[in-house]
Amino acid sequence: MRYTRKEKQEIKQYDVGILTFWNVPNYGTFAQAYALEQVLTTLFPNRDVRQIAYLNKKHYDNYYNKRLPKNFLKKSFYEELKILLDSTSAYNLRKKRFPQYYQSIKHTESMNRDQLINTRFDTVILGSDIIWDYSFECFDKDPFLFGLGLNSKEIIAYATSFGTIKADAVFPNYVKKGIIGMKEISVRDNNSADIVEKITGIRPPVVLDPTWLWDFDSDINIVKPIYKDYIIVYGQDFTKKYIEELIIYAKEKNLKLVCLDCNNDHYGWCDVLIRQADLSPFEWIGLFKYAQIIATSTYHGLTFGLIFNKPIVFCATEFILSKAGDFLKELGLYDLLSVKDQSIKKMAEYEWDYKGINCIIENKKKKSINYLRKNLSYNIQ
């Protein structure tokens, strides 16, 4: 692409840009974005690393410009009023609070699609998270997530995932074109490695989610909670059996059930409910750090339980196992945590060999860091 002298002066230029789900109101999404920026800034002090402050408009509207349900007017007056109040509350929370937290991450100026096209980078890193799961309608089949249309000298993928997409799928042309055009690719799971290998003929390395690379234990931003002797509950769609057993176990051990709100699900069975409006990401991480047990059905709930060496009572779903199943097998935890309606007591009182688990993680961490060092240890001229 050639530019006139005037156009060159108007084009914004950056060194290293990380393209992920910027501003998405999800704690795990924030944590992986924060962790990757922190790790890269620490590893490469001579490079200017920033998150790219861009999110596809349809994806953005899915969180920040929610409309009322189509059947809204068919409900009773009180049901309509409750939906309206809940919708307004959620809108205000997301609009005013969560984007503030992303401002704590070093980032570019905010960009729309056209502005991103007209911004130049030396290096763009795609990832992490399930940014390649093009089956999600709200992701809007955004070609930028596959590196297409980006004005960058090189494009590298770190710990990206195809999520629910399987290797026997018929891949859209833009997906194949983007994957083939990248300089280097690493993924977060074997399913994604299978897909990349099918498209390119080369199997990419499987690396750790960025949250594993950053030392959250020593991070001074993490906030110690006011609660003591508690079980963190984080997730949604917990089974009836899971809930009943968890309540009984918590009472037996004299532990409070502290719930971190996830997608406005129903948590009347918990002792404490903390809404997103009252919880920053650093407070969220702190609640995991100081919990006695982690009860979760989410990928990053599982991840932070392992990071902080906690007993985990996992409510297994196919969606999460498709992302974390291979990893759990490597850690020797798959048979324990993948069983639907597994006993809460069995999981909580399992002999968690964190010495062995941490040893496996440390080896994987070294390989992941080496991947980053290999591909970002020089400045492009």
Side-chain angles (χ1 to χ4, degrees):
M1 186 180 295
R2 295 182 178 180
Y3 301 95
T4 66
R5 181 175 298 177
K6 183 179 179 181
E7 287 173 329
K8 286 180 179 179
Q9 292 173 345
E10 293 175 348
I11 293 173
K12 291 283 184 179
Q13 298 190 48
Y14 294 98
D15 184 8
V16 180
I18 303 170
L19 184 61
T20 187
F21 291 149
W22 178 256
N23 267 352
V24 165
N26 176 284
Y27 293 111
T29 302
F30 173 90
Q32 61 87 20
Y34 170 80
L36 186 54
E37 186 272 327
Q38 291 287 302
V39 168
L40 292 179
T41 298
T42 302
L43 287 175
F44 310 107
N46 294 328
R47 301 205 70 174
D48 182 16
V49 180
R50 297 170 182 260
Q51 287 280 342
I52 300 175
Y54 160 85
L55 187 66
N56 176 276
K57 186 179 185 303
K58 186 173 183 179
H59 197 176
Y60 177 91
D61 288 345
N62 182 66
Y63 296 107
Y64 295 100
N65 292 319
K66 283 278 193 181
R67 295 182 178 180
L68 295 177
K70 292 181 180 179
N71 62 347
F72 174 73
L73 295 177
K74 297 179 182 180
K75 297 180 179 293
S76 71
F77 171 78
Y78 291 106
E79 286 178 314
E80 291 175 8
L81 181 61
K82 183 178 186 304
I83 291 172
L84 179 61
L85 291 174
D86 287 348
S87 176
T88 302
S89 175
Y91 171 83
N92 288 336
L93 154 66
R94 291 166 176 163
K95 191 78 173 178
K96 295 180 179 179
R97 298 297 298 274
F98 226 99
Q100 296 176 8
Y101 306 140
Y102 279 88
Q103 297 305 306
S104 67
I105 306 175
K106 192 175 181 182
H107 59 281
T108 67
E109 64 178 21
S110 295
M111 303 182 198
N112 59 27
R113 176 185 175 278
D114 291 337
Q115 289 168 325
L116 179 53
I117 289 173
N118 289 309
T119 301
R120 181 183 296 166
F121 298 89
D122 284 336
T123 304
V124 168
I125 300 176
L126 304 175
S128 299
D129 220 329
I130 55 170
I131 66 169
W132 288 350
D133 193 338
Y134 55 85
S135 68
F136 280 85
E137 184 179 352
C138 69
F139 295 177
D140 202 25
K141 296 180 171 56
D142 190 344
F144 290 141
L145 298 176
F146 290 88
L148 296 178
L150 297 175
N151 185 357
S152 179
K153 293 180 181 178
E154 60 178 11
I155 296 173
I156 297 168
Y158 181 78
T160 46
S161 175
F162 276 94
T164 61
I165 304 297
K166 300 301 180 185
D168 59 359
V170 178
F171 309 111
N173 286 332
Y174 80 95
V175 171
K176 293 187 288 187
K177 183 178 179 181
I179 294 294
I180 291 170
M182 293 177 203
K183 179 177 182 289
E184 295 289 343
I185 297 175
S186 65
V187 293
R188 199 174 67 178
D189 53 78
N190 281 319
N191 176 65
S192 297
D194 291 341
I195 293 174
V196 172
E197 184 176 19
K198 183 176 179 181
I199 293 173
T200 67
I202 301 171
R203 191 168 187 82
V206 177
V207 295
L208 289 174
D209 184 271
T211 49
W212 285 99
L213 306 185
W214 183 242
D215 184 6
F216 282 104
D217 239 343
S218 303
D219 192 321
I220 61 174
N221 291 315
I222 306 306
V223 179
K224 187 174 182 178
I226 59 173
Y227 305 101
K228 295 181 179 179
D229 302 324
Y230 61 91
I231 297 174
I232 275 298
V233 177
Y234 182 67
Q236 57 188 337
D237 300 327
F238 294 110
T239 66
K240 182 179 179 181
K241 179 178 181 294
Y242 182 97
I243 293 172
E244 290 174 349
E245 287 191 18
L246 186 60
I247 292 172
I248 292 171
Y249 189 81
K251 287 181 178 178
E252 287 178 355
K253 301 300 180 181
N254 198 27
L255 297 171
K256 285 185 177 181
L257 292 174
V258 176
C259 174
L260 310 182
D261 183 26
C262 184
N263 294 333
N264 295 316
D265 212 338
H266 302 288
Y267 303 101
W269 47 278
C270 290
D271 299 301
V272 178
L273 173 62
I274 307 177
R275 296 287 183 185
Q276 284 188 352
D278 304 314
L279 190 66
S280 76
F282 298 112
E283 291 170 322
W284 180 86
I285 295 170
L287 282 158
F288 278 88
K289 181 177 179 178
Y290 293 96
Q292 299 297 311
I293 298 172
I294 307 300
T296 188
S297 63
T298 71
Y299 178 87
H300 280 106
L302 179 65
T303 298
F304 275 98
L306 292 168
I307 285 173
F308 292 123
N309 290 189
K310 305 295 181 180
I312 300 167
V313 291
F314 187 57
C315 187
T317 66
E318 287 300 318
F319 177 65
I320 301 302
L321 289 176
S322 70
K323 298 194 287 183
D326 292 329
F327 188 47
L328 292 176
K329 288 175 183 176
E330 289 185 70
L331 301 180
L333 297 174
Y334 186 83
D335 290 341
L336 174 72
L337 299 181
S338 67
V339 177
K340 186 176 181 180
D341 286 331
Q342 177 69 279
S343 162
I344 295 291
K345 185 179 179 69
K346 182 175 181 179
M347 289 186 284
E349 298 183 1
Y350 175 76
E351 189 175 339
W352 291 85
D353 176 23
Y354 271 110
K355 183 177 180 180
I357 290 172
N358 291 339
C359 183
I360 295 172
I361 295 297
E362 193 58 34
N363 288 331
K364 292 178 71 67
K365 181 177 177 179
K366 288 178 181 177
K367 292 179 181 178
S368 300
I369 294 292
N370 286 338
Y371 174 87
L372 293 172
R373 286 190 187 280
K374 175 184 175 183
N375 291 294
L376 284 167
S377 59
Y378 56 90
N379 280 303
I380 302 173
Q381 302 300 321

